[in-house]
């Protein structure tokens, strides 16, 4: 598609972003694992869900607001944790967090972010969510939690679908997962030089591009590669339900498990007493060939119905009306990852705000055309079989 | 597809039209809302319906005529209301209305037409249908109805699937929905200059391109944009079934509700006493991701069977044989929108007449090859399961 | 696809043929009616049928021979009647009839052939089948039957799915169905000049390109267009089962009804006492959107099981193994149209023979790999569900 | 796809291989029979199988090892017999056998290999499997078995789905199945000259490219074509279950029947007392339009459950996680053909080793993300319905 005059959809933001950031970085964000079947299916599964159109009902007022763990949100959406996301724009997480705060939805800062908890905290007065990966070094985990608490993070998103970092072909093809050879190093330089604006504004003037939350634990690291190697080595495949009990002792705010796809695991989450979970396959970046989230959602929501958990879902949310579909299938809210990352790459803070405004408009518009006024009242009856 | 020597199908008319009108205008007519899934599905759903072939039956005479509210029609098709449709050719609605009258099918003039009720009335002696949107200013609505009555319009088509104007990406991308920037304004000029014939014949010699029915209510408006802004602001999302009762008091001819997709709404329409309805999703321009009309039709027709309503359907009617499929699935007739708009853009009045002649030939041909002689007798038995 | 060194499949023959004959002629043969859904589905439906692979059975001898109305055939396939087919090569029907005779399968000469019954009879000593369209002028029909009898035609194929000539867009687009305008006439000349070999060898040295069987009835016709107009006007939409009774009185050899798709019609054919029928939709050239023949076949074969009729099928037969699928679904044999036409355009008599040899090889090969030895024994058990 | 910097998937290896070997050779390896439906379906069917994601289970240790007939293997995969495979790289089978031995999985040397049993034996100390075709000359078969025994081959793979060599269009189109004409001979030379590296390193310095196992039986043959003609003539379509009994008397090691697709045949295999079988359609190169192996597998595995046979499967295995799917559907292991051939063409022995390493990494990664630790414990419960 040629570049649109005005971005009108996820595809448009993506097209613009692609033209702004180096190819290996775009590939890192855009790609999924293995054959990318789940990546594609995530999007396709939402589009297969069909909505009923009821007419001649007064829809002049539509109510889409919600509360996440007691705090109000303009609509039931949060910005998903996106590792390295901050490298798509200058101090990217700060820009996104500001846009989210101004619009009124939670921003999630991930462990492998460019901007640190403290940097984001300083830039916005609204509490954000903090995403945690369990690291082998539990001491660091404890410290990260203290820092998040100190920053008044309003929820802890604990990611559980990354027992191992999966295999993403875009990264292999770009030589990002192997020790750099002359050939891949040269290709990297070429890719960066092909995006001089990014080089100047983001990497040089907006640098350093390091993992802000982790730099004190890897003092010798200077390049992103060093951090990535360290993080990859720190992922802990032994994490299990007992670690969640330990986590409970370390964090007294809400805990959201991110990455459940089976009803059995949803029941275990309820039993162990966390406050919520995200039905997620990590945006098609981890286990390829598993269920798209729109298909898994009703099973998991059904399994914990009435137990008071906040059920979220992510993966392939592209349009405002996907929030209605998620709601109808049992979710209390959604997360979106690539959308905000591309809007930020394309337009910085203003871009993220514009994207959120589009999502809201699409949501209200669709709700009205369905003859509905309150998003919270939408259920399976509003879907076609 | 390269331009055909002789247009043989909807695609051919579309190809020719695309080459004649400015890109933003073509995009406005051609596009749908959001991901355009319903737009595509409308067409695909008719094509999935399969016909039985019976042979060795005398089919030398085929009867395809019908009556709409007492008036005869050459075949059970009406030209759908197409806002701005008149801007595709010189005084476009006049040309289309003349072709429809000559051929013997109803033409529907929409509220946001280029040519006014009076202009069309003056150009043809055959009564046409008038399509109404409920405007916030009920006084204007009353006036429009008086004008329609004065023009002897033979039916009132009241559109109900536009509680809100939906989000159409083509229009956003062309900068038609936002305040014009230098960039979008320049792009608009460029698009117009790329179609000098249209500029000369339609916009200049055939102007002014304003909303003919509404100009007296927006005296200060001079450009189409001003009208569009006014109309958009006048759409009333509070319209409900009680307004239909009120409408009943204002119009004593037949009322057709346009835009039903649920059996429940069809039953309400029958209860409230309107004369008919159109199973429609506004040609995929309003609620995206809802049912294609060929799938919804049997449910709605079944819900009001035997109650005397005229059941129409539109969306994706492209071929003469789609009328047979519609009939077999329970419709008394169909509406077609984009087809006449493109035939008019491509060939003016003669183009519309040629398109109607093709539709008739396709319809008779198919009927004969099915071993049937009377369209009115076609039912579900003539379809493959 | 670029031109293959050696043709290996229908697609290859088609590619070569396309490069040899004028575009309007290729389009006439290649195209179907309306949206060409049935044309495509015919091929797709055979490919969806799946075969079982049994191993370790002695398949050194495979028996694929059959008899059609008492006469032996090398394999259960006949060359379908292809109107104008003879114009693809020099005296095309003669070449094809010779190849068929040499290989040992029936050739069907159609009413609208280039070469007359007498010309084909003179060129081959093997009886062929004659295809008849009912013409309004029954006297001509009687004469054609006498000529076919005089030529010892071994079966009469009576086509019943052409109550009306359907609408084929390729022909409309090439201006073949309307009175020639300067534009379409010029395009025609251009298309012919782009194929100088065809012009010289087929049209000039192999001419005249007229309807051989009909020229005496249209003495004033000189161009193919004149004949086509006459034939189109002669098609009789009133033909019905009573005409079959009359036909019975005019022809004492086997009668095959060509063009049945419904079980009900198959039963009527058995009741009226014809010897066989072809399950056919005219190669997707008549009723578009009806059943592909591979799907219809089992229903019709089942309806007349045990009543002694020869059940044939055509449409989309592209490969030798399609004969096995047809047999497994209840057919006694198949017809193929475009395949021989393209092989003839590509390679004349030798081409048709080579294509038949390929079909035989493919058939025997597949039979062996299925662990089967006699084609006649193949039934539904050899198909996967 | 442009050539990737680092190969990350089957497609990448294929892309690189395609650029290295002459087109007719690539086509021979890459192609399938007839329309290549089964070739495509083989891959697609594995991708349709969907995996369950369980989280928060300790997956720090994953166990993927197995035993084939008593001998340990690093993972349950063997390199499939690939006729002429050795011609893709210099002494190709030697390179592949070495890589397989070093990695710890069985290599299968086929009858029509470039390198002889003795050459491969000399190059590696690890026993390999030997694949046998029944030849008409049983004396040669006996001799081949003696040679395999002398080389301590650890299993005999007896291929049964090649009662006849099927029809592969790529080979026909490249003129490889017909007597060479000047045109096809020239095209062959051109194709070879377009790959000078292959010509020099593989054909000239790595020659002679003859069927190593067979050269003593065809002393006059000098070119590959002569061997191919001889082999094709030696294929014996009369082979049946009694030959398996005879084979039993000639080979006292494990016998694996390669090429079963029906449960009935699987039961016969168990009854006759072989040690295992491969559910296979010869990689889509023999009976086209039959079941993809992922669909056939559960039926055959079910039919012999509990009878002690080793159930293998091949066709379309492209990714490490396909081993998990095969295991879940009832297989004890898989074979892969084209993958190793392309890795060898692309990177020689090191390439094959790298490909195996990728497969292992993909397998372990996926297992962990499914929350599983032992491949042997994976069953249908780990699949989504
Ligand atoms: C580039 C990228 C990096 C990501 N990094 C993280 C991460 O650090 N932690 C995490 O829990 N999820 C991470 N995710 C997953 C997202 O939080 C989210 O689950 C996913 O993006 C949702 O799919 P979507 O992109 O289709 O909206 C990442 C996703 C992307 C695209
Ligand atoms: C450009 C355009 C403008 C339209 N404007 C109106 C309108 O003003 N009022 C209305 O009721 N429907 C309007 N429609 C919807 C049509 O009446 C009709 O429902 C639709 O076009 C049917 O689908 P089709 O285009 O596939 O035939 C419009 C459609 C198009 C394409
Ligand atoms: C160019 C062309 C002309 C045909 N003319 C005749 C005809 O004159 N009479 C007839 O019974 N069928 C005619 N047919 C239909 C064929 O006999 C046959 O039913 C059809 O070609 C089978 O489909 P296939 O082309 O996929 O094999 C014609 C088909 C083609 C392609
Ligand atoms: C080029 C080529 C040659 C083959 N030659 C043989 C052979 O000589 N003997 C045999 O049993 N199978 C042969 N096969 C089939 C393979 O052993 C195996 O069944 C098939 O390749 C599996 O499919 P895959 O390529 O998708 O992995 C051959 C396959 C290919 C691609």
């Amino acid at each position: 598609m040629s570049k649109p005059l005005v971005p009108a959809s996820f595809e448009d933001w993506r097209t613009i972003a692609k033209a702004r950031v180096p190819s290996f970085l775009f590939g890192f964000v855009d790609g999924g694992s293995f054959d990318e079947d789940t990546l594609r299916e995530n999007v396709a599964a939402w589009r297969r869900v069909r909505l009923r159109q009821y007419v001649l009902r007064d829809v002049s007022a539509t109510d889409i607001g919600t509360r996440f763990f007691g705090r109000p949100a303009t609509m039931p959406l949060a910005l998903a944790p996106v590792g390295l996301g901050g490298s798509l724009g200058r101090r990217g997480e700060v820009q996104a967090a500001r846009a989210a705060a101004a619009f009124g939805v939670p921003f999630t800062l991930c462990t492998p972010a460019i901007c640190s908890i403290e940097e984001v905290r300083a830039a916005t007065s609204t509490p954000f969510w903090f995403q945690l990966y369990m690291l082998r070094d539990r001491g660091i985990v404890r410290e990260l939690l203290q820092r998040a608490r100190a920053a008044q993070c309003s929820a802890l998103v604990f990611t559980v679908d990354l027992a191992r970092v999966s295999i993403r072909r875009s990264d292999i093809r770009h030589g990002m997962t192997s020790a750099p050879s002359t050939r891949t190093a040269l290709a990297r330089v070429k890719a960066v030089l092909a995006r001089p604006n990014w080089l100047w504004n983001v990497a040089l003037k907006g640098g350093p591009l390091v993992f802000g939350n982790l730099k004190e634990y890897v003092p010798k690291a200077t390049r992103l590669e060093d951090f990535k190697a360290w993080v990859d080595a720190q992922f802990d495949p032994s994490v299990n339900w007992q670690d969640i009990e330990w986590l409970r002792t370390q964090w007294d705010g809400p805990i959201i498990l991110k990455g459940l796809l089976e009803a059995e695991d949803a029941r275990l989450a309820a039993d162990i007493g966390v406050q919520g979970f995200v039905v997620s396959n990590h945006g098609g970046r981890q286990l390829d060939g598993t269920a798209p989230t729109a298909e898994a959602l009703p099973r998991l929501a059904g399994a914990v119905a009435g137990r008071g958990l906040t059920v979220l879902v992510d993966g392939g949310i592209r349009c405002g009306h996907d929030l209605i579909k998620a709601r109808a299938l049992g979710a209390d809210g959604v997360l979106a990852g690539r959308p905000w990352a591309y809007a930020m790459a394309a337009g910085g803070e203003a871009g993220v705000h514009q994207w959120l405004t589009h999502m809201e408009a699409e949501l209200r518009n669709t709700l009205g055309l369905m003859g509905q006024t309150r998003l919270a009242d939408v259920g399976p009856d509003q879907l076609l079989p």
Side-chain angles (χ1 to χ4, degrees), chain A:
Chain A
M1 192 196 312
S2 66
K3 255 170 60 180
L5 289 173
V6 180
S9 72
F10 173 78
E11 280 308 317
D12 292 348
W13 292 111
R14 183 176 175 272
T15 303
I16 300 173
K18 190 172 181 175
R20 298 240 168 137
V21 302
S23 58
F24 58 88
L25 195 55
F26 180 78
F28 168 74
V29 177
D30 206 57
S33 53
F34 289 81
D35 291 320
E36 304 190 338
D37 282 339
T38 296
L39 177 66
R40 267 185 299 274
E41 268 295 290
N42 270 351
V43 174
W46 290 114
R47 286 179 70 167
R48 282 194 293 265
V49 177
R50 298 213 301 193
L51 304 168
R52 287 186 191 271
Q53 168 182 302
Y54 288 99
V55 296
L56 289 173
R57 300 171 173 201
D58 180 345
V59 294
S60 33
T62 45
D63 175 359
I64 61 169
T66 194
R67 304 186 80 82
F68 285 126
F69 310 111
R71 296 172 169 275
T74 304
M75 62 184 176
L77 174 146
L79 276 59
V82 172
L84 278 178
S87 67
L88 296 176
R90 194 193 290 190
R91 308 317 291 161
E93 286 97 358
V94 163
Q95 297 202 58
R98 275 198 187 129
F103 183 84
V105 292
F107 171 77
T108 312
L109 185 74
C110 64
T111 299
I114 299 298
C115 306
S116 68
I117 299 177
E118 292 74 17
E119 182 180 352
V120 175
R121 186 72 192 89
T124 161
S125 57
T126 315
F128 50 89
W129 295 358
F130 178 65
Q131 178 270 336
L132 180 76
Y133 281 123
M134 189 62 89
L135 305 178
R136 287 184 196 270
D137 184 334
R138 294 294 197 273
I140 300 181
V141 170
R142 244 186 310 250
E143 252 189 70
L144 283 168
L145 288 174
Q146 274 161 16
R147 293 166 60 189
R149 208 177 309 123
Q152 291 164 295
C153 288
S154 51
L156 180 71
V157 176
F158 185 72
T159 304
V160 297
D161 58 5
L162 207 123
R164 293 157 185 277
V165 184
S166 192
I167 293 168
R168 299 171 193 158
R169 293 189 183 145
S170 172
D171 297 349
I172 302 180
R173 288 183 186 129
H174 282 105
M176 288 175 78
T177 56
S178 33
S181 65
T182 325
R183 224 164 123 236
T184 59
L186 267 175
R188 180 82 59 96
V189 170
K190 234 176 105 182
V192 168
L193 292 179
R195 296 287 182 277
N197 273 331
W198 179 87
L199 173 58
W200 178 248
N201 285 314
V202 182
L204 297 181
K205 298 202 50 177
L209 294 185
V210 297
F211 283 151
N213 289 323
L214 306 170
K215 58 176 178 275
E216 55 207 83
Y217 314 120
V218 216
K220 290 189 201 131
T222 53
R223 297 170 316 149
L224 220 42
E225 278 86 347
D226 307 330
F227 282 97
K228 202 164 179 311
W230 183 84
V231 173
D232 285 4
Q234 279 285 340
F235 280 119
D236 184 353
S238 78
V239 178
N240 57 56
W241 291 101
Q242 291 180 345
D243 294 285
I244 305 299
E245 308 219 329
W246 173 80
L247 205 64
R248 267 290 36 157
T249 67
Q250 304 294 314
W251 179 265
D252 44 22
I255 294 183
I256 305 168
L257 297 185
K258 177 164 175 286
L260 305 198
L261 278 183
E262 286 292 328
E264 189 181 320
D265 285 346
R267 270 186 295 263
L268 290 174
D271 293 347
I272 215 161
V274 295
Q275 281 63 43
F277 57 77
V278 189
V279 178
S280 176
N281 49 40
H282 215 100
R285 299 167 74 81
Q286 287 291 108
L287 180 61
D288 193 40
T290 192
T293 47
E295 285 183 19
L297 171 58
R299 292 194 289 264
L300 280 83
V304 299
R307 299 189 62 180
L309 278 81
T310 296
V311 177
L312 304 171
V313 66
D314 75 9
I317 297 288
R318 297 291 174 261
C319 237
H321 61 205
D322 292 335
L323 272 72
I324 303 179
K325 295 175 174 180
R327 174 64 234 153
L329 295 171
D332 297 298
V334 309
L335 270 59
R338 293 176 185 86
W340 77 253
Y342 291 149
M344 201 264 291
E349 185 178 331
V352 177
H353 200 273
Q354 193 179 346
W355 163 71
L356 284 167
T357 310
H358 285 183
M359 291 294 278
E360 182 190 358
E362 290 169 356
L363 168 46
R364 287 196 195 273
N365 190 282
T366 299
L367 207 57
L369 294 178
M370 292 171 68
Q372 307 297 324
T373 50
R374 275 173 51 87
L375 178 54
D377 292 345
V378 170
D381 287 357
Q382 268 72 49
L383 300 182
L384 284 159

